[in-house]
Amino acid sequence: MENKKYYISTAIAYTSGKPHIGNTYEIILADAIARFKRALGYDVYFQTGTDEHGEKIELKAKEKGVTPKEYVDAVASQIKGIWDKMNTSYDRFVRTTDENHERQVQKIFKKMYDKGDIYKGEYKGLYCTPCESFWTESQLIDGKCPDCGREVALASEEAYFFKLSKYQDKLVDYIEKHPEFIQPESRKNEMLNNFIKPGLQDLCVSRTSFDWGIKVLFDPKHIVYVWLDALTNYITNIGYDVDNETEQFKKWWPADLHLIGKDIIRFHTIYWPCFLWSLDLPLPKQVFGHPWLLTNNDKIGKSRGNAIYADELADLFGVDAVRYYVLHEIPFANDGNLTYELMIERYNSDLANILGNLVNRTISMDKKYFDGIVPEPSIKEEIDEDLIKIVTNALDKTTAAMDELKVADAIDNVFEIFRRSNKYIDETMPWVLAKEQNIERLKTVIYNLLEAIRVGAVLLHPFLPETAEKIYSQLNTDLTTFSSIENFGGLKVGTKLNEPEPLFVRIDKEKFLEELAK
Ligand code: ME8
C-alpha cells in the first residue's frame, strides 16, 4: 500500500468555557477518521487545539479575577483533558497563545499588508461580542445576531481591512470547479448563493477596543481579528513561515480535510481561501461542515444552560459508549439528537445485545465445547457463505463509506458483521450440534463466529478502540491489521482464548434514570 500523507484538523475550540458534547463530537469524529486512515496505511497528521484570544475571553477572565492567560491556561488544559479522556489520538494540540503561532500571525499580517491586500480604514458596523463578529443590517435576524440571537451593538473604530472583494470571482470559480471542496454539497450551494455571489465586502481584520490578542507588528494598538488569528493555526503549526519554506510545511500542506461544524463553514470557505491566496498558498482539499448534535432537539450551547458534557457521560456509560452514540447517531448531513433515554436504548440494543452478547456467547461456547481452544474448521455448509461474504466485503464497504466521510454508515457496516453473526448462531444452533455430537460441524461454526468477531473488532478499532482491544485480548490474537482481514480465515487454529468478560453490561433504564434524577 502506498504511504500517502493525510492531514486532518478539527476546529480549535474557544477557551471561553468547558466544551460540551457537541464540541467533543467533532474531535471524536476526527479521531475515527484519523485512526481509519492510519489503519489503511496513510501517514497521518491529526491536529486539534484551542482558540484563546478575543474580547469575550478577556471579559470572562476579568469576571473571574484572573489574567486572560491564567484563564485560558485552565480552560485549555480542561479541554485537552476531555480530548484525552475520550481516547482521541491527535498528534498535536495547538494553542493560539503559543509563541510561534503569535509570531507567525504577525508576519502573515505584515505580508498581506505589504502586498496591498490589507489596508487601513474606518469600521462602522454592528458587532456581536460573544461571536466576535461584525454583521451588516441585512444579515441580522429580527435585529439580532444571526448566529446566537443576542443583541448587537453599533461599533466604529479605525481598523485594517482585508480585500475580500478582490478574490470574489476567483472564489466563485474555484468552488464551482471543485465540487468536492465544500461538503456536504448543500452547504456549497448555501455559501455560493447566500454569501459569495451577492457580493463580498472587505473584511475588518483588526480591533482596538480590547487588548487580549496578537498585536499588529507595525501598529501595536491594533489587535489581529480573532478569525485571522485562529484560521492560520492550520499552517503556523506545521512549520509555515513567510520568509522560509520548511520541509515540514511542504510535506503536510495543503491539508486533506478541515473538519468543522456547520456554523463556521462561512469562515472556512470564504475568509480562509482568500487569506491563503493572499499568501500564495494552495487551498485545503476539503472542508466538511458536520451537522450538530442537539439535545431534546435543541442546539447545545456553552451558554444556553442545556449543556451535556462528554466526560460526565463517559463516567456514566463508558468512553466507547459515548463514542458509539455520537458517531452512530449523527448522520452525514442531518443533525443528531441526544437524550439520556436514547443513549440507554442504543447502549442496550447495540452495544450490550448485538455486540456484547455475541462476543460473550461465542467465547463461552468455545470454552464449553473446545476448552477455549480455537477449533479447526472442516465441514462447510451453504449457510456459511452469506456470513463469510458479509465479513469479507466489510473492509471495502466500510472504506468506501469512510472515503465519503459517511462515518455513521461506516460504523453501521461494521455492526452488520455482528448482526449477521447473531443470526448465524440462530441458524446453526451450536447447542443442537453439540447435543447431536456433530463435532466437526460444530468446530466450523464456532471458528466462523470467532473469525467474524475478529474481523469485526479490527474494523471497529478506529471507532471504539478500547472495545476492539478488549476483544483482541479475549481472542488472544495479535492479528489486528487491515491486511489481516482481507481474507476470511486469519484467526489461528489452536489459539487458547482468554476468559470471556462482558464488554457492556445492560443498563436498567428505569433505575438508571431514577438515580440520575437524584
Ligand atoms: O467555533 N454539535 O469554536 P467553538 C456539533 N473557535 N458541533 C458543534 C456544536 C454542536 N452542538 N456546537 C459547536 C469555534 N460545535 C472557533 C473555531 S477554527 C479556526 C475556530 C462545533 O468552541 C463548532 O461548529 O465554538 C466548531 O466546529 C467546534 O464545535 C468548536 O466550536
Side-chain angles (χ1 to χ4, degrees), residues 3 14 42 50-51 70 132 162 189 198 209 216 230 236-237 262 272 274 290 293 301 315 319 326-327 374 413 437 493:
N3 206 7
Y14 282 130
Y42 283 79
T50 40
D51 186 356
E70 283 166 340
E132 319 269 8
F162 180 88
N189 301 331
S209 52
V216 173
T236 60
N237 290 291
K262 63 180 183 180
W272 185 222
C274 301
H290 61 71
L293 182 61
D315 288 339
V319 168
V326 294
L327 292 175
V374 176
N413 246 310
Q437 290 289 307
V493 170

Side-chain angles (χ1 to χ4, degrees), residues 52-294:
E52 307 190 353
H53 293 126
E55 189 171 10
K56 186 177 176 185
I57 287 165
E58 192 177 84
L59 292 174
K60 286 250 172 186
K62 206 181 235 168
E63 266 169 36
K64 283 226 156 186
V66 295
T67 66
K69 184 67 168 69
E70 283 166 340
Y71 185 81
V72 296
D73 280 350
V75 181
S77 120
Q78 183 180 41
I79 294 176
K80 190 165 182 291
I82 295 178
W83 282 197
D84 289 338
K85 178 161 183 153
M86 299 317 291
N87 204 1
T88 57
S89 62
Y90 56 84
D91 295 295
R92 188 127 179 250
F93 189 96
V94 304
R95 301 180 54 187
T96 52
T97 49
D98 285 344
E99 208 186 304
N100 175 60
H101 172 77
E102 294 189 344
R103 196 170 46 246
Q104 293 306 331
V105 169
Q106 290 182 318
K107 286 164 82 173
I108 286 169
F109 197 96
K110 172 99 177 21
K111 180 167 172 172
M112 291 169 167
Y113 181 77
D114 290 344
K115 188 171 172 169
D117 279 354
I118 285 181
Y119 62 91
K120 204 173 196 174
E122 193 188 352
Y123 194 85
K124 286 197 201 76
L126 298 155
Y127 190 64
C128 173
T129 307
C131 298
E132 319 269 8
S133 291
F134 271 102
W135 302 99
T136 61
E137 198 79 53
S138 66
Q139 287 170 324
L140 302 181
I141 297 175
D142 297 332
K144 305 243 166 78
C145 170
D147 270 359
C148 73
R150 276 178 275 219
E151 297 288 342
V152 291
L154 201 62
S156 158
E157 57 188 33
E158 175 196 274
Y160 287 91
F161 287 83
F162 180 88
K163 281 190 188 160
L164 267 192
S165 51
K166 169 177 161 186
Y167 293 102
Q168 168 161 345
D169 294 342
K170 186 169 173 169
L171 190 57
V172 170
D173 187 59
Y174 186 88
I175 294 173
E176 283 178 343
K177 288 201 175 116
H178 296 82
E180 74 297 338
F181 176 57
I182 305 177
Q183 287 296 316
E185 169 109 23
S186 54
R187 301 279 161 211
K188 177 190 98 179
N189 301 331
E190 185 189 341
M191 287 304 125
L192 272 177
N193 301 331
N194 299 2
F195 289 98
I196 307 173
K197 287 185 179 166
L200 292 179
Q201 295 180 8
D202 289 351
L203 177 71
C204 180
V205 287
S206 79
R207 302 285 185 266
T208 50
S209 52
F210 62 93
D211 266 340
W212 179 240
I214 302 174
K215 291 186 169 38
V216 173
L217 204 56
F218 51 89
D219 195 352
K221 74 171 190 293
H222 288 265
I223 298 292
V224 177
Y225 174 46
V226 74
W227 274 100
L228 177 58
D229 165 0
L231 286 162
T232 52
N233 94 85
Y234 301 127
I235 56 174
T236 60
N237 290 291
I238 53 163
Y240 178 72
D241 186 328
V242 291
D243 330 297
N244 169 22
E245 186 147 310
T246 65
E247 281 309 309
Q248 187 201 10
F249 184 69
K250 274 196 275 185
K251 172 174 177 185
W252 294 109
W253 193 258
D256 294 83
L257 179 63
H258 288 329
L259 186 70
I260 53 159
K262 63 180 183 180
D263 51 324
I264 57 171
I265 294 186
R266 196 163 51 90
F267 301 94
H268 283 79
T269 60
I270 301 177
Y271 302 172
W272 185 222
C274 301
F275 293 161
L276 286 166
W277 280 327
S278 180
L279 300 171
D280 300 310
L281 293 176
L283 305 194
K285 291 181 196 155
Q286 194 163 66
V287 175
F288 176 59
H290 61 71
W292 278 340
L293 182 61
L294 312 174

Side-chain angles (χ1 to χ4, degrees), residues 184-427:
E185 169 109 23
S186 54
R187 301 279 161 211
K188 177 190 98 179
N189 301 331
E190 185 189 341
M191 287 304 125
L192 272 177
N193 301 331
N194 299 2
F195 289 98
I196 307 173
K197 287 185 179 166
L200 292 179
Q201 295 180 8
D202 289 351
L203 177 71
C204 180
V205 287
S206 79
R207 302 285 185 266
T208 50
S209 52
F210 62 93
D211 266 340
W212 179 240
I214 302 174
K215 291 186 169 38
V216 173
L217 204 56
F218 51 89
D219 195 352
K221 74 171 190 293
H222 288 265
I223 298 292
V224 177
Y225 174 46
V226 74
W227 274 100
L228 177 58
D229 165 0
L231 286 162
T232 52
N233 94 85
Y234 301 127
I235 56 174
T236 60
N237 290 291
I238 53 163
Y240 178 72
D241 186 328
V242 291
D243 330 297
N244 169 22
E245 186 147 310
T246 65
E247 281 309 309
Q248 187 201 10
F249 184 69
K250 274 196 275 185
K251 172 174 177 185
W252 294 109
W253 193 258
D256 294 83
L257 179 63
H258 288 329
L259 186 70
I260 53 159
K262 63 180 183 180
D263 51 324
I264 57 171
I265 294 186
R266 196 163 51 90
F267 301 94
H268 283 79
T269 60
I270 301 177
Y271 302 172
W272 185 222
C274 301
F275 293 161
L276 286 166
W277 280 327
S278 180
L279 300 171
D280 300 310
L281 293 176
L283 305 194
K285 291 181 196 155
Q286 194 163 66
V287 175
F288 176 59
H290 61 71
W292 278 340
L293 182 61
L294 312 174
T295 176
N296 291 311
N297 290 310
D298 193 17
K299 184 179 188 265
I300 306 175
K302 279 177 194 160
S303 48
R304 286 173 175 239
N306 63 351
I308 295 183
Y309 299 102
D311 54 334
E312 292 169 9
L313 283 175
D315 288 339
L316 291 169
F317 297 97
V319 168
D320 276 1
V322 179
R323 290 178 62 111
Y324 179 76
Y325 191 89
V326 294
L327 292 175
H328 184 259
E329 293 304 302
I330 306 172
F332 180 67
N334 300 319
D335 293 341
N337 193 23
L338 173 89
T339 63
Y340 285 100
E341 284 85 348
L342 287 172
M343 177 106 198
I344 297 168
E345 281 163 25
R346 270 279 156 249
Y347 176 101
N348 281 341
S349 69
D350 297 5
L351 298 174
N353 282 0
I354 297 174
L355 174 58
N357 267 351
L358 169 71
V359 175
N360 204 269
R361 274 164 95 192
T362 305
I363 295 186
S364 302
M365 285 192 289
D366 185 73
K367 212 169 141 58
K368 182 166 169 196
Y369 303 134
F370 303 116
D371 210 19
I373 305 286
V374 176
E376 180 159 16
S378 57
I379 304 181
K380 290 201 179 94
E381 286 185 9
E382 214 183 303
I383 210 165
D384 305 342
E385 277 167 24
D386 190 49
L387 172 78
I388 293 176
K389 199 170 95 195
I390 283 178
V391 174
T392 39
N393 286 343
L395 175 59
D396 281 350
K397 254 182 105 172
T398 312
T399 305
M402 289 302 277
D403 282 346
E404 289 183 54
L405 302 175
K406 301 210 161 142
V407 179
D409 291 351
I411 197 166
D412 205 48
N413 246 310
V414 180
F415 268 70
E416 188 54 34
I417 296 181
F418 305 131
R419 276 191 293 269
R420 187 63 189 85
S421 300
N422 281 314
K423 187 167 163 224
Y424 183 74
I425 297 182
D426 296 342
E427 289 164 349

